[in-house]
Amino acid sequence: MYDLVLENIRLPNQERYHFIGIQNGIIAEISPYPLQGKAVIDGCGDLAMPPFVETHIHLDTAFTAGEPSWNQSGSILEGILLWNERKQTLTMEDVYGRARKALNQLMKFGVLYVRAIADISDERLVALKTLLKLKSDLQDIIYLQIIAFPQNGLLSCPENQERMLEAIKLGADGVSAVPHLERTREEGIESIQFCFSLAEKYGLFLHFFCDEIDDPQSRFIETVASLAISSGLEDKVTASHACAMAYYPDNYAAKLLDLIASSKIHIVACPLINTAMQGRYDSYPKGRGITRIKEMLQKNINVCIAHDDIMTPFYPLGNGNILQAAHMAAHAGHLTGMKELEELINMISINGAKALQINDYGIKVGNEANIITFPVDHAIDLIRLQPHCRYVIKKGRVLLHTNPMETVFYM
Ligand SMILES: [Zn+2]
């Protein structure tokens, strides 16, 4: 008799109902036949999946939209100015409360693996220290990686180089740069090289903000991919945003995509924030602000989709539902083929697990019993309906339960 049995659930691409037996937090058996459990949860015929993976989110800026004032232009530059002001007032209580609230939102929609970006551009490192504390406090609930991120640059703000070393000592899992915001191309490249030298020395992840600008001359991703190869760090490296790729000439893009594919780096697209923020300087037609997801998938490049911001000075919307980001990618990236819609789910699950290098990911015997269930028939309905999870289970423990919304008609 198992500790817990999850009954009447469907696994992706399987028609019949299954039963999952869980013992000591581990998936002990998956069977088409009923199993005995000390506790039993009726899965109600729901679709069961491994928890989603959020590969790029700012927990330190979450829920600060409008503080000290609203980003009226919608531009990234106004967002940075507002955040520069807001971060002067950060306290650990402030960051902890908002970050925890953001994680709760993510969990409602099935995210249990998170790569969080912590801005280190304040001299007290409040955001980073708070997120590291949160990581420790919530280790039994949610898997967190913390990336030390210099929002104001590493060359434009040289103090951030010292702060990054301090962040590594404190326990950051990875380092980041924002080369397109440095003063010159040369300084942008230097910032990338600086991060690679730290990652090699300390065995860290690299998670770059790369070419998040509507400038076809912004080509830092080629440097990231090239250094990923020469350093051997390869799949420890992620480039996020890569919006400028949409503006590159096709002949250069063809060469670049082959380079990215051979480098084994991961790409994270952030379609919510970038469709809203990019193209602000265009007249018509306006750029979509989204990288070449479709072409990268065709080259077998590991592409992930992230939610990125929840009500921040950079993006005023978002509720933590990563399926919203996938839905936006379906539209802005023209990913509406049957296989492409299914691939969108991979981009918020198994592709993300690859980028974060999560071992034992997936609903398999011997893996941790980390399972989310949705009241839908097919994975494509997840994109269309973007529902709450009915159950979120971590190591065999039910973390939360949401009853599906039901409408009563009186006509
Ligand atoms: Zn971001």
Side-chain angles (χ1 to χ4, degrees), residues 52 54 57 59 62-63 97-112 114 142 307 309-311 318-324 387-389 392 400 402:
F52 292 146
E54 168 63 31
I57 192 160
L59 298 174
F63 301 108
R98 289 184 291 97
R100 181 67 210 258
K101 183 175 164 187
L103 288 176
N104 282 351
Q105 284 299 118
L106 289 171
M107 284 191 273
K108 284 186 202 171
F109 300 102
V111 173
L112 285 186
V114 176
I142 193 160
H307 188 300
D309 284 53
I310 302 176
M311 295 190 74
N319 63 358
N321 189 346
I322 196 170
L323 290 164
Q324 275 192 356
H388 285 70
C389 292
V392 175
L400 61 91
T402 307

Side-chain angles (χ1 to χ4, degrees), residues 56 58 209 241 308-309:
H56 177 125
H58 301 259
F209 285 57
H241 300 295
D308 198 352
D309 284 53

Side-chain angles (χ1 to χ4, degrees), residues 92 96 100 103 129-142 144 397:
M92 287 191 82
Y96 197 98
R100 181 67 210 258
L103 288 176
K129 287 175 184 168
T130 309
L131 295 187
L132 287 170
K133 175 164 171 34
L134 199 59
K135 173 182 172 172
S136 163
D137 289 353
L138 300 184
Q139 58 184 307
D140 293 331
I141 294 176
I142 193 160
L144 264 176
R397 172 185 165 206

